[in-house]
Amino acid sequence: MQIPFGMLSDRFGRKRMICIGLLIFAFGSVVAALSGSIYGVIAGRILQGAGAVGSVILALGADLTREEQRTKTMAVIGMTIGLSFALALVLGPLLNAVIGVSGIFWTTAVMALAGIAVLYRVTPQPNALQSHRDTGAVPAMFKRVLTDSQLLRLDFGIFALHAMLTASFIAVPVLLRDVVGVGENELWMVYLPVLAVSVMIMVPMIILAEAKRQMKAVFVGAVVTLGLSQLALLAWHTSLVELVVVLTLFFAAFNTMEASLPSLISKAAPAEAKGTAMGVYSSSQFFGIFVGGTIGGWAYGLGGPAGVFIFSAIVALLWFGVAVTMKPPRFTRTRMISVAVADSGEARALEAELLAQPGVVEAAVALDEGVAYIKVDSAQADEVDLDAFSRRPAQA
C-alpha cells in the first residue's frame, strides 16, 4: 500500500492520507489486542500493514522543506526509522513482561492516535502539494527503474537482507530461551549490548565505504559475513557467548547494509527517478519480510532452527552471486535546485548547461515542479557554479 497511498496523497492531501493510514493501523492494533486466536492476530496485523503511510510522510517532508535541505530531511527520517527498529527490539521484551502481548498492541494503537495529534497540532501545513520525483513514485518511471540491472541487484539485496533477518528471528529467541536459558523477559539484556557493539563496528565500515570509496568491497564483505554468521549459528549455538558473538557479527553486517543500500540506490537511480526507485526498493524490503517469515516458518517446521539457518545461508549465497557481479558505484549525490523555465526547449537547454559544469554527471529538469535534479561528484562539483542556476529567470 506504500505506493498507492503516496499517489492518493498527491490528490487528496498528505495529512488526510496519513491520518487515514494511522487510523487503519490503530484499528488493526485493536483487533489484534482483542483477539483470542492466532487468526485474529493475523487479521489485525494485515490491517496494521495496510496503513502504510511511510511514503506519504516522506512526501510531506519534501513539501515542507526547500530543495537544498531535502536530502538532510530524508536522512533524518531514515535515521529515525532505524532508531525505532533498534528501540523496539530492546523494549519489546520489557513491555511484554509488564503488559503482555495484548498490551503491546494497545500501546501501538495509542501511539498511532498520538501520531495523528502530532500531525494536526504540531506539524505545519504545506503551502502547496506537489509531486516530488526524489521522494514519490512516478508511474512513467516504473519501466525505467524495473529494467535497470543495477537497481534490481540492490532491490534483491534489501529483499534478501530482511528475509534473512525475519527468518533468523524465528529461531534465535527459541535458542536463547531453550538452549541457553535466557527468559523471554530477559532477551533485551542480550539484544542491547549486541546492537550497541554492532553499531560501533558498523561506523568505521561506513566510513571506509563512503569516505575511502570502497563501497563494493564493504558491500560484498558484509554479504559474506551475513552468510557465514548463519552457518556459525548452525554450528555454534550451545552457549550464550557463542550466540552473542555471532549475533554481534550478524548485526554489524546487517546495520552496514541497512545504511549502505539506500545510499547505493540514490547513486544508481536516475536523478529524476529516485523516488520511484526508492518505492520499488521499499516494496522489496517488505516482500523480503513476508518471504522470510513464511519460508522461515516452513523451514523451522521441517528442521527446527537448523532448517531456518540453512534457508538463510542459501539466501546469502544467492545474494553473493548477485552482489559480486555488481558494477562499482559512482560516488555521486543528488542535488536539487529551483529553476524557472517556460517550456521543454528551455528545460533541455538548461540540462545541457548543467551537464557542462565540472562534476555534473546527470541533469534532468522537471517542468511541473520547477526543479532541476542533478547528480554530482562531490569531489569535483563546484557548489557556487551550481547555485548560480537556482531560480534563473525564464528566457525571453
Side-chain angles (χ1 to χ4, degrees):
M1 296 298 292
Q2 289 283 352
I3 292 174
F5 261 107
M7 292 178 174
L8 287 170
S9 74
D10 288 338
R11 180 174 180 181
F12 297 108
R14 312 290 190 219
K15 288 192 174 184
R16 180 179 298 176
M17 295 312 301
I18 292 172
C19 180
I20 291 172
L22 288 174
L23 286 173
I24 294 172
F25 180 90
F27 181 64
S29 299
V30 172
V31 169
L34 295 175
S35 176
S37 73
I38 187 60
Y39 303 105
V41 174
I42 291 171
R45 290 290 291 143
I46 289 171
L47 285 168
Q48 283 186 318
V53 292
S55 61
V56 188
I57 291 171
L58 291 176
L60 178 59
D63 288 336
L64 293 171
T65 53
R66 302 190 310 275
E67 290 82 3
E68 295 79 8
Q69 299 299 319
R70 196 172 298 161
T71 301
K72 296 177 184 177
T73 302
M74 298 304 116
V76 170
I77 293 174
M79 289 168 59
T80 305
I81 294 171
L83 178 61
S84 70
F85 165 76
L87 285 175
L89 198 62
V90 173
L91 294 178
L94 287 172
L95 289 172
N96 181 58
V98 178
I99 58 179
V101 174
S102 62
I104 290 175
F105 281 119
W106 283 115
T107 301
T108 60
V110 171
M111 292 175 71
L113 298 177
I116 294 173
V118 170
L119 180 70
Y120 283 103
R121 297 182 67 87
V122 179
T123 309
Q125 181 69 30
N127 294 326
L129 297 180
Q130 197 169 14
S131 177
H132 302 280
R133 285 170 169 79
D134 60 317
T135 59
V138 180
M141 294 291 175
F142 276 118
K143 182 177 180 181
R144 187 174 179 183
V145 166
L146 293 173
T147 55
D148 188 310
S149 62
Q150 293 300 103
L151 288 175
L152 290 176
R153 281 178 168 83
L154 299 174
D155 293 334
F156 181 81
I158 195 65
F159 164 86
L161 183 67
H162 282 268
M164 292 169 65
L165 175 72
T166 309
S168 297
F169 271 78
I170 292 171
V172 166
V174 177
L175 291 177
L176 286 169
R177 182 192 66 197
D178 296 345
V179 177
V180 180
V182 178
E184 287 184 354
N185 298 333
E186 300 169 337
L187 289 173
W188 69 273
M189 298 180 185
V190 177
Y191 297 151
L192 182 59
V194 163
L195 287 170
V197 175
S198 69
V199 169
M200 288 189 285
I201 297 173
M202 174 200 72
V203 172
M205 292 298 99
I206 296 298
I207 293 173
L208 178 64
E210 293 283 358
K212 303 300 182 181
R213 302 203 167 193
Q214 296 295 318
M215 181 66 80
K216 184 174 179 180
V218 171
F219 187 91
V220 174
V223 175
V224 171
T225 302
L226 287 166
L228 291 177
S229 69
Q230 296 301 309
L231 295 176
L233 285 169
L234 184 63
W236 300 309
H237 56 251
T238 57
S239 75
L240 181 59
V241 172
E242 289 174 350
L243 282 171
V244 166
V245 170
V246 176
L247 285 175
T248 300
L249 291 174
F250 174 83
F251 273 107
F254 176 88
N255 290 334
T256 299
M257 299 307 288
E258 190 84 339
S260 299
L261 280 164
S263 174
L264 284 167
I265 285 280
S266 180
K267 290 176 172 64
E272 73 276 27
K274 180 182 173 185
T276 307
M278 288 303 299
V280 175
Y281 168 88
S282 295
S283 296
S284 301
Q285 173 182 336
F286 297 129
F287 188 56
I289 293 170
F290 165 73
V291 170
T294 304
I295 299 183
W298 172 77
Y300 185 87
L302 286 180
V308 173
F309 300 137
I310 291 171
F311 161 70
S312 295
I314 292 171
V315 172
L317 180 62
L318 293 173
W319 188 6
F320 174 78
V322 171
V324 78
T325 57
M326 180 181 73
K327 295 178 182 177
R330 298 188 70 171
F331 284 82
T332 60
R333 62 188 181 87
T334 302
R335 281 202 59 196
M336 290 156 283
I337 57 174
S338 300
V339 295
V341 289
D343 53 40
S344 58
E346 288 186 9
R348 302 293 83 77
L350 180 55
E351 288 173 0
E353 286 187 64
L354 288 166
L355 285 169
Q357 301 302 304
V360 176
V361 298
E362 193 176 329
V365 175
L367 276 171
D368 56 334
E369 296 180 50
V371 172
Y373 293 92
I374 311 164
K375 276 198 163 184
V376 299
D377 185 326
S378 55
Q380 302 176 36
D382 188 327
E383 301 288 339
V384 177
D385 286 347
L386 292 179
D387 290 338
F389 289 89
S390 182
R391 297 291 180 189
R392 284 173 47 128
Q395 299 289 329

